[in-house]
Amino acid sequence: MNKYFLILLLLGCVLINVTINETVDAKSSDSPQAFEEFFPEIGYKTVESALKDFEQHFNKELKLPLRVPPISFTHRFGRFSNIDGDINNEFEVTMISDQLPRNHFKINVRPIQHKIPFEKYISNVFKLKNGSNAAYIENPQFGFNMLVFERDNWQYVFSIDQDVSDKVTSDVLIDIANSIDYPNEKY
């Protein structure tokens, strides 16, 4: 019986060793998919291409801000979500960093008639240069601080990761929103 016990123990150790080695090998060969591969798989493309799709769908120009947050980004993508009906149609710009995941800024724009209500989350209200109000939302549940405002029959939502809110404050988001009003120059 001792002989069978030793054989079973030895066999068990070999199986455990093989399993551990295969698991380690599998994990060491796995690497995260690059953003430029992953994001197109879920509907993202260049900001310019997505913007063109959005404007053609609504037959109306969409103005984007000239400024961006003063943090580094390695990638920027755009997406036009054209889901059945207009209620969930939305344009999105995502700026991210594959080096610093907390550097994440989003712009979401949707028609004002299908706006998302944020009234119960508002932390502060600011006045933009064009005279409209911008609601600032600072809620730990979201993981993002947001600036929400309306202009030209669009609802804009700027979202910044709360981990960089010391660098990208409400004042910085206001400056970004105000940069939409840059003059169009004709050449």
Side-chain angles (χ1 to χ4, degrees), residues 11-70:
L11 187 59
C13 288
V14 168
L15 286 174
I16 290 172
N17 189 28
V18 168
T19 304
I20 289 172
N21 284 341
E22 286 179 10
T23 303
V24 170
D25 289 342
K27 287 184 180 178
S28 66
S29 66
D30 288 346
S31 61
Q33 196 173 10
F35 285 169
E36 52 271 13
E37 294 170 8
F38 172 73
F39 274 81
E41 288 177 4
I42 57 173
Y44 287 90
K45 50 173 84 174
T46 66
V47 172
E48 296 75 18
S49 179
L51 178 62
K52 183 179 176 184
D53 293 345
F54 183 79
E55 290 177 334
Q56 283 179 345
H57 178 79
F58 287 103
N59 199 26
K60 184 177 177 194
E61 179 187 17
L62 174 66
K63 293 181 180 179
L64 294 176
L66 183 62
R67 290 179 174 251
V68 297

Side-chain angles (χ1 to χ4, degrees), residues 30-155:
D30 288 346
S31 61
Q33 196 173 10
F35 285 169
E36 52 271 13
E37 294 170 8
F38 172 73
F39 274 81
E41 288 177 4
I42 57 173
Y44 287 90
K45 50 173 84 174
T46 66
V47 172
E48 296 75 18
S49 179
L51 178 62
K52 183 179 176 184
D53 293 345
F54 183 79
E55 290 177 334
Q56 283 179 345
H57 178 79
F58 287 103
N59 199 26
K60 184 177 177 194
E61 179 187 17
L62 174 66
K63 293 181 180 179
L64 294 176
L66 183 62
R67 290 179 174 251
V68 297
I71 55 178
S72 64
F73 300 106
T74 58
H75 296 77
R76 62 180 223 150
F77 297 101
R79 177 167 64 178
F80 168 43
S81 300
N82 184 7
I83 302 170
D84 293 334
D86 285 341
I87 196 164
N88 291 315
N89 289 353
E90 177 178 65
F91 173 71
E92 176 186 342
V93 175
T94 296
M95 297 180 197
I96 53 176
S97 171
D98 60 5
Q99 307 299 312
L100 300 164
R102 66 184 178 270
N103 289 9
H104 187 189
F105 175 65
K106 282 179 37 173
I107 300 172
N108 296 82
V109 183
R110 60 187 318 122
I112 206 156
Q113 65 267 28
H114 302 297
K115 68 182 179 179
I116 298 173
F118 288 101
E119 287 78 18
K120 66 181 180 179
Y121 303 108
I122 295 173
S123 305
N124 207 341
V125 176
F126 299 95
K127 195 66 98 177
L128 297 177
K129 280 183 183 178
N130 69 0
S132 65
N133 288 332
Y136 185 68
I137 298 164
E138 189 174 17
N139 188 326
Q141 290 177 303
F142 298 138
F144 282 83
N145 291 346
M146 295 182 270
L147 186 73
V148 181
F149 59 96
E150 299 171 5
R151 64 169 293 141
D152 303 326
N153 290 313
W154 302 117
Q155 180 191 46

